Amino acid sequence: MGAGVTFSTAGERDSDRVRRSLANIRDLGGLPLVSGGTTSPGVLIRSDAPYPDDDDPVGVPWPPSTVVDLRDPSESGAVRVTWPAEVRLVHRQVSSGARIDRLADTALTDIYTAMMQTGGDRLTAALNAFDPAGPTLVHCAAGKDRTGVIVAIAELLAGVEEAAFVADYQRTEQNITGVLARLQHRDRVPRGMSLDAPILRTPREAIDLVVDAVTGHRGGPWGWFEANGGDVGHFEGWVTRFAPGAAPG
């Protein structure tokens, strides 16, 4: 994927254009903060997996300064993106158990419970990789579960209003048709997977598991973060960019 690449539109099908466009990408600026104000644009971007033949997205800083790829290394395979030299690529596998291609019929509450109970250090390792100075892109395969958990924790630490980050998490379901089409086109999911698969949903009770685990720590979200290996100083610096005026820690 790269700026300046053009494609012929002669005879091009709409489905081809859809498959070359990130289906679940958004800049997380503009979310309301508990302390007042909103999150800053151009700091945190979430998306489904980018592919080498994708068009550059519009409306977000691109390319990002840092890419945090949450997938199992085996998931990217032949569709691995080669980023420009100035982009810092960080692989942080947060949960092989959240792979969309292996768990079509598994309840998300079971997947999220496992992530929160056994993978706290993996989650904070991904958060520790956030860029302190430039835009950070966080993605997995669908940009829904592993990405959704990491983003929700970041938003909790930044003091985003709960209703806002729950709405952002559930917004992925509006994009899931395009996400599934992209995954199917590149053989990233089992043949025959339908939109009814539990793994493609965004139930409130799943993200509530994350909220309860992080906010229920005796030290609150920041206590959870530090107890699981989070770099508090680094992330406080990131929060000052993402949520100006918030009081981290």
Side-chain angles (χ1 to χ4, degrees), residues 153 156-157 214-215 217 219-226:
I153 296 171
L156 278 168
L157 292 168
V214 174
T215 61
H217 189 275
W222 285 94
W224 178 92
F225 180 68
E226 184 172 21

Side-chain angles (χ1 to χ4, degrees), residues 39-233:
T39 56
S40 299
V43 178
L44 182 59
I45 305 161
R46 63 180 294 173
S47 79
D48 51 318
Y51 298 114
D53 57 345
D54 282 344
D55 294 335
D56 288 351
V58 176
V60 298
W62 205 262
S65 296
T66 293
V67 176
V68 182
D69 185 342
L70 306 175
R71 296 174 297 175
D72 181 308
S74 66
E75 288 181 80
S76 54
V79 293
R80 183 179 292 109
V81 169
T82 300
W83 294 95
E86 66 271 18
V87 175
R88 172 175 164 255
L89 175 61
V90 182
H91 292 281
R92 292 289 185 269
Q93 178 186 347
V94 296
S95 174
S96 58
R99 283 184 57 158
I100 194 170
D101 57 337
R102 295 177 178 172
L103 296 168
D105 299 318
T106 303
L108 283 178
T109 50
D110 293 340
I111 296 171
Y112 286 26
T113 296
M115 269 197 281
M116 298 309 299
Q117 289 183 347
T118 66
D121 57 336
R122 291 186 177 191
L123 299 172
T124 58
L127 293 161
N128 287 341
F130 279 25
D131 197 312
T136 297
L137 169 67
V138 181
H139 78 84
C140 50
K144 185 175 77 71
D145 300 312
R146 290 165 289 186
T147 298
V149 169
I150 289 295
V151 166
I153 296 171
E155 291 168 341
L156 278 168
L157 292 168
V160 173
E161 290 185 2
E162 182 173 330
F165 68 71
V166 169
D168 174 62
Y169 167 75
Q170 295 185 319
R171 180 178 169 186
T172 289
E173 200 157 328
Q174 301 171 22
N175 302 326
I176 206 65
T177 299
V179 170
L180 182 58
R182 282 168 57 80
L183 291 167
Q184 289 174 327
H185 182 62
R186 295 167 179 86
D187 296 322
R188 301 289 96 187
V189 291
R191 293 185 182 276
M193 178 182 277
S194 74
L195 290 169
D196 295 327
I199 194 70
L200 299 179
R201 305 275 68 84
T202 56
R204 173 67 188 260
E205 58 266 27
I207 201 63
D208 279 348
L209 286 169
V210 179
V211 176
D212 292 345
V214 174
T215 61
H217 189 275
R218 62 181 177 274
W222 285 94
W224 178 92
F225 180 68
E226 184 172 21
N228 285 282
D231 183 338
V232 172

